[in-house]
Amino acid sequence: MAETATKTDFDAVVVGAGFAGMYMLRRLRDELGVSAKVFEAGDDVGGTWYWNRYPGARCDSESYMYCFSFDKDLLQEWNWSGKYPEQPEILRYLSHVADRFDLRRDIQFNTRVTSAHFRESDNRWEIETDQGDKVTAQYLITGIGCLSAGQVPDIKGLDTFKGDWYHTGSWPHEGVDFTGKRVGVIGTGSSGVQSIPVIAQQAEHLTVFQRTPQFTIPARHGNVDKEFLDDIKSRYGEVWDKARKSAGGFPIDMIDRSALSVSDEERLAIYEAAWEQGGFHFLFASFSDIATDRRANDTAAEFIRGKIREIVKDPATADKLVPTDHPFSSKRALIDTNYFDTYNRDNVELVDIRHAPIQEITPTGIRTEDGDYDLDVIVFATGFDAMTGTFFKMDIRGKGGLPLKEKWAEGPKTYLGLSTHGFPNLFMITGPGSPSVLSNMPVSIEQHVEFISDFIEYMRAHELDVAEADADAEEVWVNHVNEIANMTLYPLANSWYLGANIPGKPRVFMPYPGGVGPYREKCDEVAANDYEGFLLDNEAQHFAKVPHEAVKMQMP
Ligand code: NAP
């Protein structure tokens, strides 16, 4: 039985046992020596990779960088089989990490945190779960992921559908056999683009319901090259260092070259080479102004449009697949294997629901304005209520009983994406306002976990009980995030980065787009300045009584 099963008061409670929660537990328990308990909704570790088991699920980060770096032996000993890590292999990796560091004994599985209320009388969080647990903790740390609240659109008639339906983000563990089935996939984001080619190979017929055509770059997936991996392993320290200082958390050489500074022939040759190399290199290693200059972006977008027309044989289908309403990479850049080729198959049909929207789901399929499509299975690859959705599934209340949902009613407000004013000792791993989803996640997760554990260590060393984001520092940070977002092309797309995929969600750019390198520097500076921007104290209620300026940076 888990050692913590009967204990009810902890130094820290961590929500979630994916990459974030697992490393947080390791740091808290094994390095800081504090008591920690993790609650996890699934029946094992894995987070995103536990739930997203749809066909073709795989990470777009190359495998040698989609892992933990905190343990050198682990880095050297684990061998990835593919260039990109596939979902089952990532899950095996995380299970191995859980075994290796004996993490499961402090993780309570099959348990969702339902509420967390800050108790001002003694500065503790009161936490309750759907299994009836009632525990308290000084620190509440969320490792809940940014994309974990699945979004099934509210389409009339879904409850009447006689076939089976699934969301990619909570896929049955036993898998789904599509043999002989007429399948409909709604959605052409990362999950749709990965699953569509795989489902097409198995299903009798596949109908893809597309609302927004997408730019996608070939992954060039394959077995991992042993020589390449040996070389990386011989200089892993330097490789990680480069990734930590980079924009996106990858050790890719950024090119300081405008797409508008070269001749048409040279630009084309660069794009061709990047297209051949595949993956995020196309975005990061071709030109430096694709994400910020519309004219530069147009050259990349036009190149990809040309590729779509080259690959897709039927011109009418190609027309529907060519994206025209947003700049390349203003929605999450997609990486695919045989996505556009799939539309050359006889058993695949593309339905444009931007022009003929879905009216309803009937007992036998999907009805659009253009007609009826008979289906045995519907797959919703319709994404997530990103970044805030999972927070709002829990009833989190800060000082004065303020619900987080209320505080963030007009969009999430955080200091560094780590903390939010009014919610003392709540730390968010890869929260809104941090690079998170715009980066290779393990790099950002490790940085946050290390920041939080260093902060807790500091508080203990200085006998401080409470840390809370200062309201002014938070406002400055939120404005800074918006300012940088407005220097990019991101605001020009209706993406989940802006909450645009959820009806009624405020349109606010949520992740920090300034790059993981500059962001890390900022966090390091905050820590070096005795956690500048946080209110620190050891007296209950103190903050409520003293004006902010008086307690700001009140350090020994
Ligand atoms: P997504 O990017 O939000 O895509 C959802 C798709 O469903 C879009 O095509 C969207 O159309 C469509 N859709 C949503 N609501 C709809 C509605 N009511 N009617 C019709 N169509 C609708 O979701 P996702 O593909 O699950 O990916 C989410 C994120 O997870 C990714 O951006 C990525 O960060 C991460 N992810 C990563 C990987 C990977 O590393 N390979 C794999 C999967 C997911 P619109 O574009 O018109 O909104």
Side-chain angles (χ1 to χ4, degrees), residues 255-262 266 270 285-289:
I255 306 250
D256 187 14
R257 172 176 62 194
S258 164
L260 306 171
S261 68
V262 297
E266 197 180 336
I270 290 167
S286 54
F287 297 104
S288 51
D289 50 357

Side-chain angles (χ1 to χ4, degrees), residues 225-250:
D225 182 82
K226 183 158 175 350
E227 245 174 69
F228 171 80
L229 200 58
D230 287 348
D231 170 53
I232 293 282
K233 285 192 176 184
S234 72
R235 51 188 185 86
Y236 238 144
E238 165 205 325
V239 169
W240 276 94
D241 197 43
K242 190 169 177 180
R244 291 187 189 109
K245 292 179 179 152
S246 70
F250 299 101

